[in-house]
Amino acid sequence: MAQRAVWLISREPGTPFCGTVRFSRRYPTVEKRAKVFNGASYVPIPEDGPFLKALLFELRLLDDDEDFIESRDSCSHINKTSVYGLLIGGGELWPVVAFLKNNMIYACVPLVEQTLSPHPPLISISGISQGFELLFGVQDFLSLSQKNDTELNTKLNQLPDLLLQACPFGTLLDANLQNSLDSINFASVTHSQKQPAWKVGTYKGKPQVSISITEKVKSMQYDKQDIADTWQVVGTVTCKCDLEGIMPNVTISLSLPTNGSPLQDILVHPCVTSLDSAILTSSSIDAMDDSAFSGPYKFPLTPPLESFNLCYYTSQVPVPPILGFYQMKEEEIQVKITVNLKLHESVKNNFEFCEAHIPFYNRGPITHVEYKVSFGQLEVFREKSSLVWIIGQKFPKSMEINLSGTVTFGAKSHEKQSFDEICIGGTAYLKLHFRILDYTLTGCYADQHSVQVFASGKPKISTHRKLISSDYYIWNSKAPAPVTYGSLLLSESLCLLSESGEVRNKITSRPMRPSGNSR
């Protein structure tokens, strides 16, 4: 489980090379191992220039890259995993883990401890998941409190020293680079037990363990017979272990109810010391995979001092939490809208908040609204040409609510009105925003009594969980709409988890769950 090389590349459209390598690190000892393991299929790590050109070509980020290329752009080569093969020097450099975030490309080449011809299954290569974890750690470090290019350059200059501690000899020890930064000037303390190189000091105080499960649900709903609705759940388990001792051991268990949806595509933090193989082999990429493991999911670990993400996962839940349809018809300067939303009976009817945002792009300001709403209240933002339906904290007993009305617009003002390249004419959407505390869509929970702590003192154990909407769209069924067919981009899905930094839109691009006929 090691990395052969790591790169940070800034995307710079319009420049001769369309990008610049801002940082690169190679691990010669790992490269020697790769040469032995890969045998005749071994391809050496290239210099930065050829690697930059090959990667931008594969990602279609070159300015003049407009031609169709069979080996890269055909339907049989659709990439769903953010793992690429680069043609360099007559050979293929594989696997290359790469993704684009905020005009910065994060890339690495994991070590594969076997021949590369033919390509082994990705799930059998443990270095890939650690490569993602390393890149996400670097991304979090660079984005933390970054305000300008000067701060970015400062952090890039710190990376060589940080990786010496966080990823020595290409082996990831701690993806939280802030820990390594704090340890550089940390006063050394003598202990009877040897202090591990990756851990900065020890905790002194009241022992406590906090476990938080956050699930984000995405959905694209169309209310059309020829287009299947899609949805996806991505979860993050965040932990904070304040325990005395140099190397305290903790075992955290995640459980599911009898009708819970199995967790899949699980990526764990490097502090996890061992793991049941059944946890790692459950994957959502293969539609024929029947290896779903329904738990309990046990994670024995030696926790770092800081808060850390214990694991990420996806799950194929049978239905989305809220089903709905949205209809909009244009009539000169007016539009008529009809909205129906229904909360699924299995979902907890107790929201922290629930709102439906209805934007009207490429139109003038709202001058008049006539509407009828069966529940909640409607707010009108005239200059922004949008409506916000505030549903509140509960659906009614019927679990179903409706909104209908007519919206009249004034003359367009290109300086003030919102423009959107997709939402032209009747193409429009409603976006749901909601949060439910003490609830997860999969049913996943951490039982306080199942947490085992091997350290001095009896810790206080607290658990929390919540469900949050993310990119939850209901499209106008009376007009064309963009369709999601197989995969989500890594930067969108990981992340899922990344608008707030809690969830990263996923370790690999995962297909959204087709619902079939859900209505």
Side-chain angles (χ1 to χ4, degrees):
M1 295 189 294
Q3 307 301 314
R4 297 168 58 186
V6 181
W7 290 269
L8 295 183
I9 300 170
S10 61
R11 187 191 177 198
E12 300 171 358
T15 61
F17 299 101
C18 301
T20 301
V21 177
R22 304 295 298 274
F23 173 83
S24 65
R25 165 62 63 86
R26 292 163 176 79
Y27 296 95
T29 56
V30 182
E31 193 66 13
K32 290 182 179 179
R33 292 163 59 193
K35 190 172 184 179
V36 173
F37 282 125
N38 301 159
S41 60
Y42 167 76
V43 175
I45 296 294
E47 296 296 325
D48 288 347
F51 180 83
L52 171 66
K53 184 176 180 180
L55 182 61
L56 294 181
F57 172 81
E58 185 66 24
L59 298 179
R60 294 188 61 89
L61 296 179
L62 297 174
D63 289 343
D64 58 349
D65 192 2
E66 298 179 355
D67 296 331
F68 175 85
I69 299 175
E70 177 71 18
S71 62
R72 180 193 63 186
D73 302 325
S74 67
C75 293
S76 61
H77 293 85
I78 296 177
N79 188 286
K80 299 181 180 180
T81 61
S82 296
V83 177
Y84 303 90
L86 306 184
L87 297 179
I88 297 177
E92 182 188 41
L93 181 64
W94 184 93
V96 178
V97 176
F99 62 89
L100 174 66
K101 184 70 174 180
N102 296 332
N103 283 326
M104 184 74 76
I105 301 173
Y106 301 79
C108 66
V109 180
L111 171 67
V112 181
E113 298 180 349
Q114 57 184 300
T115 182
L116 300 177
S117 181
H119 290 171
L122 296 184
I123 200 169
S124 67
I125 305 174
S126 57
I128 289 181
S129 60
Q130 286 214 351
F132 276 115
E133 187 71 8
L134 171 62
L135 296 180
F136 283 134
V138 175
Q139 175 193 324
D140 289 346
F141 174 72
L142 294 183
S143 61
L144 183 64
S145 302
Q146 178 186 322
K147 297 179 180 179
N148 50 51
D149 289 339
T150 302
E151 292 186 5
L152 175 61
N153 291 332
T154 300
K155 291 190 173 184
L156 288 173
N157 291 333
Q158 293 172 338
L159 276 181
D161 291 335
L162 296 182
L163 288 182
L164 283 176
Q165 297 190 42
C167 192
F169 301 104
T171 301
L172 182 64
L173 298 181
D174 189 356
N176 190 337
L177 298 189
Q178 191 63 39
N179 287 347
S180 301
L181 180 63
D182 294 340
S183 70
I184 291 177
N185 297 318
F186 195 89
S188 61
V189 181
T190 303
H191 297 282
S192 57
Q193 184 180 0
K194 185 178 180 181
Q195 180 84 4
W198 57 266
K199 192 166 186 179
V200 290
T202 58
Y203 172 79
K204 295 293 183 181
K206 186 177 181 180
Q208 53 188 355
V209 175
S210 176
I211 305 169
S212 177
I213 303 175
T214 300
E215 288 187 354
K216 287 194 174 183
V217 55
K218 294 186 174 186
S219 183
M220 297 277 276
Q221 300 181 26
Y222 304 96
D223 190 34
K224 294 184 178 182
Q225 292 294 330
D226 57 337
I227 303 178
D229 296 345
T230 56
W231 55 89
Q232 179 189 52
V233 173
V234 180
T236 304
V237 181
T238 304
C239 299
K240 179 72 163 65
C241 300
D242 294 328
L243 301 171
E244 293 187 347
I246 297 176
M247 293 285 284
N249 293 315
V250 180
T251 297
I252 295 176
S253 297
L254 303 180
S255 302
L256 296 173
T258 304
N259 60 344
S261 300
L263 310 185
Q264 298 177 313
D265 311 318
I266 297 176
L267 173 74
V268 301
H269 191 275
C271 72
V272 176
T273 56
S274 63
L275 208 58
D276 190 328
S277 60
I279 295 178
L280 293 175
T281 55
S282 182
S283 170
S284 67
I285 294 181
D286 186 357
M288 302 302 293
D289 182 20
D290 59 355
S291 60
F293 175 63
S294 56
Y297 306 85
K298 294 183 179 294
F299 301 92
L301 59 118
T302 302
L305 291 178
E306 302 300 322
S307 176
F308 64 99
N309 292 326
L310 173 64
C311 69
Y312 305 97
Y313 62 84
T314 67
S315 184
Q316 300 184 14
V317 295
V319 292
I322 299 177
L323 276 171
F325 68 79
Y326 173 40
Q327 297 179 351
M328 186 187 80
K329 296 181 180 179
E330 294 183 285
E331 296 180 358
E332 297 180 353
I333 61 172
Q334 293 182 336
V335 295
K336 290 186 176 182
I337 62 172
T338 302
V339 180
N340 173 272
L341 300 176
K342 186 174 182 179
L343 180 68
H344 193 269
E345 58 185 9
S346 65
V347 178
K348 181 180 179 181
N349 189 13
N350 188 3
F351 295 80
E352 184 179 18
F353 65 86
C354 184
E355 298 177 352
H357 292 211
I358 310 175
F360 300 98
Y361 292 104
N362 309 317
R363 302 178 187 275
I366 296 176
T367 58
H368 182 69
V369 178
E370 293 182 2
Y371 67 91
K372 180 180 179 181
V373 61
S374 66
F375 192 79
Q377 62 185 39
L378 189 70
E379 292 189 357
V380 181
F381 295 87
R382 299 181 182 275
E383 292 300 322
K384 294 183 179 180
S385 301
S386 66
L387 306 177
V388 176
W389 183 7
I390 301 177
I391 299 168
Q393 296 181 333
K394 284 183 177 291
F395 273 62
K397 291 184 179 180
S398 65
M399 300 292 187
E400 191 168 354
I401 56 178
N402 298 280
L403 166 67
S404 60
T406 301
V407 184
T408 305
F409 302 92
K412 290 183 180 181
S413 174
H414 296 289
E415 296 180 356
K416 297 182 178 180
Q417 303 312 129
S418 301
F419 174 77
D420 188 274
E421 295 180 350
I422 296 177
C423 296
I424 297 176
T427 301
Y429 64 81
L430 172 153
K431 186 176 183 181
L432 284 175
H433 299 261
F434 58 83
R435 179 182 296 160
I436 307 177
L437 300 181
D438 194 26
Y439 176 79
T440 53
L441 202 57
T442 61
C444 181
Y445 66 95
D447 186 359
Q448 296 181 3
H449 302 291
S450 66
V451 178
Q452 297 176 314
V453 178
F454 304 94
S456 60
K458 184 177 181 180
K460 176 185 177 181
I461 299 175
S462 59
T463 61
H464 312 275
R465 57 180 186 162
K466 60 186 174 182
L467 174 69
I468 303 175
S469 64
S470 173
D471 297 337
Y472 204 105
Y473 294 98
I474 301 175
W475 290 89
N476 177 21
S477 61
K478 299 297 183 181
V483 179
T484 301
Y485 278 113
S487 60
L488 295 174
L489 294 176
L490 171 65
S491 58
E492 294 291 337
S493 146
L494 282 21
C495 255
L496 179 11
L497 311 170
S498 54
E499 292 177 359
S500 63
E502 295 176 354
V503 179
R504 308 181 169 123
N505 254 309
K506 255 315 278 169
I507 306 316
T508 56
S509 302
R510 305 302 187 197
M512 296 187 77
R513 169 76 168 177
S515 68
N517 187 5
S518 60
R519 301 181 186 279

